[in-house]
Amino acid sequence: MEYTIKRLIIGIFIVLAVTVILFGIMHAMPGDPIELLAGERVSPERIAQLKAQWGLDKPMYIQYFYWLSRIIRGDFGTSMVTKLPVIELIKARLPYTLLLTGSALIVQYIIAIPLGLLAALKWNSKIDRIVVTLSIVLWSMPNFWLGVLLMIIFGIKLNLLPLSGYSGLKSLILPLLTLSLPSLAGTLRLTRSEVLEVLREDYVLTAYAKGLPKYKVLIKHVLRNALIPVTVMFFLYLPWLIGGSVIVETVFAWPGMGRLLWKSITVQDYAVVQAIIFIIALLTVISNTIGDIVSAVLDPRIRESL
Amino acid sequence: MVNFDILRSGSKNISFKLGGMIFLSVIVMAIFAPLIAPYSYDEMHISDILKPPSSKYLLGTDQYGRDIFSRIVYGSRIALKVGILVVIIETVIGISLGLLAGYYGGKVDRIISFITDVFWAMPPLVLALAVVTLLGPGLTNVMIAIAVVSWAQFTRVVRAKTQSLKNMPFVEAGRAIGESDISIMLRYILPNTMGAIIVLSTLALPSAILSTTAMGFLGLGAQPPTPDWGVMLSEGISYIGTAPWISIFPGLAIVYTVLGFNLLGEGLRDILDPRLKV
Amino acid sequence: MKALLSVKDLRVNFYTSAGIVKAVDGISFEIAKKEIFALVGESGCGKSTTALAIMRLVPYPGKIVGGKILFKNKNLLEATGEEMTQIRGKEISMIFQNPLTSLNPVYRVGHQVAEAIVLDNIPKRKAWKKVIELFKNVKIPDAEERAYSYPHELSGGMRQRVMIGMMISREPSLIIADEPTTALDVTIQAQIIKLLSELRDTLETSILLITHDFGVVAELADRIAVMYAGKIVEMGNVYQIFENPLHPYTGMLIDALPRITKKEGRLEEIPGSVPNLINPPSGCRFHPRCPLKKEVCSTEEPSLVEVERGHFVACHLYGGGKA
C-alpha cells in the first residue's frame, strides 16, 4: 500500500516533467499559436488583445500554469486545420487506437508465452532453435512492410479481408497482426530467457529435493517466478505499441489517434500534435506505474525497496 | 581489444558468422553501388514503367520506370550512412551520461537516471515524431531525432558497468597516482565497458535503420527521389494491386540488412558479454 | 553392517564444449542406518555431483554414465521419474549450500515447508501446525510469526534452519547435507552442526555430509571418505582418519586445519591446484601435488585397498599398485 502511494506520487512528478517539456517544445515551435490562429488580416492591436486574453503577455512560468490548468480541464485548444476542438478529434479516435493496441498486446502474449516456454523447456533442441530464429526474423521486420505484405496476400490476392479503413471487426485482423507479430519476438525471448534463468536457480533444485512432482515444480516455482518480469512488461509494452500504431494505422488507414498524429504532423497542426503526444506520454506513465505496482504485488522483495 | 580467442569462438557461432556475412555483403553493396547497379537510381525509363521483374530489370520498375534493383543497391548507402551516424550520436550521448551517472553517483546519478528512465519508457517513435515536428522533416533532422530518443539503453548499461568498476583496485590505483576524474573515466573505466558498447552499438544500428526507414515511409524523412528504402516502399503503396514488387523488394532489403545486423549483434553478445541483457 | 545406501562404481560425466569432464570416476561407498558419513574434498572434486547423482538431479550437461546406487536394495539409477518423485523428500532429502538462494523468494517460508508436508496427504491446516512444530524443533524463535516471513526477511542461519525443517518434514531416512554451514558465520555454523547431530539422534536418520571443511567433519562424522579429482583416495572411520591418516592428501588436509580453533580449516592452504578433469594427470591424480611421490605414481594408478579393518587407501605408499 505504502509502495503504491509512493509510486503514484512519482508518476505524478513524471507527468509534470513531461508537461514542462511539452510546453517548452510548443514554445520552440515556429509561429505563435495566436498569430497562426488569427491569420494575417488581424490588426496588431487585436493580436495584443488576444495575447492578453490568453495570458501570452505574462512571464513564461505563469503562461505554463495557465496552459497546465487548461489541459487539466481537457482543453487542448483548437485544431488549425479542422477548426474543431482538439479534444473532440482525439475523443473520436482514441477508442480505435486502444482497441487496436490492446488486442495486439493480448494476441502478442497469447502467441509469445507458450512459444517462449516451449523453447526454454526444449532448450538447445531443434524446436528451440526454430523458435529463436523465427523470433529474430520477426524482430527484424519493419511493420510497414509486413502490413503491405499482409495487404497484398490477404486483401488483394486472396481477397479475404478488407484492405483498409474500419468496417467492423474483420478490419481489425490485418492491422492487429502487423502490430503484434514483430513485437511478439520481444515477449517470446523474455519468456524464454527468464524461464531458462529460473530453471538454473537453487530453489528449483530445492523444490525437486522435497519431493514435488515435475509439473508442480514447473508451475509453482519456475513459471510463477519467471513470469513476473513478463507480466510487468505487458504494461510497459502498451506505450510502445501505441508508438507502432502510428505506422500501422497509417498503412491501413485505421481511424485512430496514431494516424491523426501523422496527418497533423504533415499539415503542421501543432495543437493536435502536442495534445496527442501529451496523451501518449500520460498513458505511458500510467502503464509504467501500473507495471511497477503489479511487480511489487508479485514479488515481495520489491515491496521493500524504493 | 580483439584477441584470437574471440575470433575462434566467433567462427563457431552460427549467428555471428551468418550475420557477419550479411553485414559484409551490405557494405560491399554500398561501396561498389555504381558497379553493381545496372542503372543510376534516378534514371527514368519512360517506356518501361511498372514493369515486373525481368532480365532487363531484375526487380522490376516503378511508376517512373526507374529500376528497383539499382535503387535498392544505392539505397544501402543511405541505410548504412544513417545507421552509423545515428549510432555514433547515440553512443556519445549515452556513454557520457552513463559514465557521469555511474562515476559520480549521488545527485548527478539521480538526475541522469530520472531523465534516462523517462526517455526509456516513452515510445521512441512518438518522441522522434515530436522532435521531427519541432525540427521539420528531412533525413538529417530524422537522424538527429532518432539519436536523441534512443541513447537511454547505452546510459543504463554504461552506468551499471561504471558503478561496478569504479571501486576496482586498478581504478583506485589511478586515483592514487593523481589522475583526474575525466582521465579515470576515459582511460580506466571506458575501455572495460567496450565489450558491452560494441554489442549495444551493433544492435542499435538495425533499430536505427528501422526507425529512419519508418520515418521515410511516413514521408517525414528522406525525400524523393532519394532511394531511401522506406520512401520507395511508401511510393509503391498506391500500386500494390498492380505492381506489388515496388513495395515488396525495398522491404526485403530492409529485412535482410536488419536481420544481418541483429544476428551479428546477437553473436557478438554471446561471444563478448553473454550476461548482457538487451 | 546393513547398508541403507550403497553406491557402487558411480560414474558421472559432464559433456562440455571443451571436452568430457569425468566429474565422478568410479566411486563406491556405503552408508549405514543412523550413520553420518562425510564426503570430503576441495571444490570441484566431484562430491556435490555425487550428492546430486543420488537424488538423480545432476544438471545439464552432466550425465550418470555408470554404476549403481542401491537405496534400501533398490537401484535408483533404474527408477522411473515417477518413482524418484516418490523417493525425493520422503526417503532421501537434501540441504543445499546456500540458504540465500535455495528458498523461493516469492513464497512465505512456512508455505514452502507446508508444500512438502501436504504431499503426504495431510490437510493444509494440519500441515501448517506441523510447520510450526518443525520450526520449533529446528529452534527458530517465534516460530508462529516466522512461518509468515518471506525468505529475504530472515537471516542466513534462520533460512538454513528453515531448509533443514523442510528437509526433515517428511521424515526421510537419509538426508544429504551439501556444505550446510559454508555460507554461514562461524557462530551460526556451530549451532547448525549441533542441530544436525541432535536430529540424527532424535529422528534416527542417516546423513551424507558433503563438505570441504575437516573441522565440521571432526564434529559430526562417523565415517569419512576423502575425494580427490573424482575418485575416493581414502576412507575410514573418524578415528582412523584423524589419528592415522594414510594418504598424503588426507594428511595435508588435516594439517591445514588451524590447530587452536579447529573450525576454520580451509583447503585453499594446500599448495598446487585441483587438476583439470578433462585431461587428468596420468597415474595417481594427486602426484603433481604430492610431496612423497615415487616414480610409479606418474605412470600407474593406485587402487583402493583395505590396509586395516574398514580403512581404505589408494596410494602406492601402501601397495596400492597391485590391482
Side-chain angles (χ1 to χ4, degrees), chain C:
Chain C
M1 184 176 74
K2 173 91 169 67
L4 176 74
L5 177 84
S6 164
V7 173
K8 289 184 177 163
D9 196 32
L10 178 69
R11 292 168 192 275
V12 184
N13 287 357
F14 280 84
Y15 297 89
T16 70
S17 55
I20 299 172
V21 178
K22 293 182 177 177
V24 177
D25 195 8
I27 68 165
S28 306
F29 61 89
E30 291 187 339
I31 301 176
K33 267 193 180 152
K34 279 191 70 177
E35 184 179 41
I36 299 186
F37 182 85
L39 264 184
V40 192
E42 290 163 287
S43 55
C45 73
K47 57 194 197 301
S48 291
T49 307
T50 306
L52 290 170
I54 296 169
M55 297 294 280
R56 288 268 309 275
L57 290 172
V58 176
Y60 180 90
K63 217 176 159 189
I64 301 170
V65 291
K68 279 183 189 166
I69 296 171
L70 297 174
F71 177 78
K72 293 186 173 171
N73 292 323
K74 180 180 169 52
N75 187 356
L76 297 185
L77 298 187
E78 286 165 1
T80 62
E82 176 63 26
E83 285 170 328
M84 277 318 294
T85 303
Q86 299 300 323
I87 289 168
R88 287 189 205 116
K90 185 72 189 160
E91 294 283 359
I92 310 176
S93 65
M94 185 161 174
I95 298 160
F96 296 94
Q97 172 170 3
N98 192 346
L100 297 157
T101 54
S102 301
L103 290 167
N104 191 328
V106 307
Y107 294 115
R108 298 177 196 282
V109 291
H111 173 87
Q112 296 188 51
V113 179
E115 202 181 24
I117 296 169
V118 296
L119 291 171
D120 296 324
N121 294 319
I122 291 170
K124 275 196 177 142
R125 184 171 300 213
K126 248 182 146 179
W128 193 261
K129 270 192 188 145
K130 188 161 181 205
V131 170
I132 310 288
E133 203 179 295
L134 280 165
F135 278 12
K136 284 178 180 159
N137 284 349
V138 295
K139 307 207 169 61
I140 295 176
D142 309 320
E144 287 90 347
E145 274 171 53
R146 292 291 165 88
Y148 287 102
S149 301
Y150 288 100
H152 70 270
E153 295 166 343
L154 299 179
S155 68
M158 281 305 138
R159 274 183 262 189
Q160 197 60 305
R161 285 170 196 273
V162 169
M163 272 299 284
I164 294 172
M166 178 190 295
M167 292 309 172
I168 61 171
S169 66
R170 300 177 67 199
E171 292 157 17
S173 32
L174 173 66
I175 298 171
I176 302 173
D178 185 2
E179 305 269 12
T181 59
T182 308
L184 305 173
D185 292 343
V186 183
T187 47
I188 312 288
Q189 281 188 9
Q191 294 169 11
I192 296 287
I193 289 170
K194 189 159 166 266
L195 178 63
L196 283 173
S197 90
E198 285 170 11
L199 285 175
R200 183 258 298 263
D201 296 332
T202 53
L203 300 175
E204 311 209 318
T205 51
S206 309
I207 297 177
L208 169 57
L209 178 70
I210 311 278
T211 184
H212 68 275
D213 186 344
F214 250 107
V216 176
V217 173
E219 304 213 19
L220 271 177
D222 301 319
R223 284 197 308 129
I224 298 163
V226 179
M227 268 187 93
Y228 188 79
K231 290 183 175 286
I232 290 179
V233 295
E234 183 166 4
M235 181 159 65
N237 67 39
V238 66
Y239 304 105
Q240 289 166 334
I241 299 287
F242 277 91
E243 299 298 324
N244 184 24
L246 297 175
H247 199 286
Y249 180 58
T250 313
M252 288 164 80
L253 288 177
I254 293 172
D255 285 343
L257 275 179
R259 281 297 148 201
I260 303 161
T261 64
K262 275 220 166 192
K263 276 222 182 88
E264 289 204 83
R266 294 269 182 237
L267 304 187
E268 287 81 34
E269 297 150 31
I270 296 176
S273 59
V274 184
N276 169 2
L277 288 182
I278 293 172
N279 289 305
S282 60
C284 172
R285 292 184 179 180
F286 186 60
H287 85 261
R289 291 167 78 184
C290 186
L292 305 169
K293 69 166 175 257
K294 303 189 289 189
E295 223 165 87
V296 61
C297 296
S298 55
T299 54
E300 251 179 84
E301 196 177 335
S303 59
L304 201 62
V305 293
E306 192 166 12
V307 287
E308 58 180 307
R309 199 178 136 75
H311 194 175
F312 300 80
V313 68
C315 177
H316 290 294
L317 291 173
Y318 308 95
K322 292 170 232 122

Side-chain angles (χ1 to χ4, degrees), chain A residues 22-80:
Chain A
L22 267 180
F23 182 76
I25 288 179
M26 184 190 72
H27 267 260
M29 275 179 189
D32 188 298
I34 295 296
E35 278 167 36
L36 287 167
L37 186 71
E40 289 152 17
R41 279 166 293 168
V42 183
S43 66
E45 293 78 25
R46 175 71 185 138
I47 287 176
Q49 196 188 344
L50 273 172
K51 277 193 173 179
Q53 188 187 329
W54 288 85
L56 291 176
D57 53 347
K58 300 272 187 341
M60 274 290 234
Y61 68 93
I62 301 222
Q63 285 189 42
Y64 168 73
F65 284 113
Y66 278 144
W67 175 79
L68 189 64
S69 72
R70 282 207 308 275
I71 63 165
I72 287 171
R73 281 179 272 124
D75 176 7
F76 289 97
T78 312
S79 155
M80 276 171 8

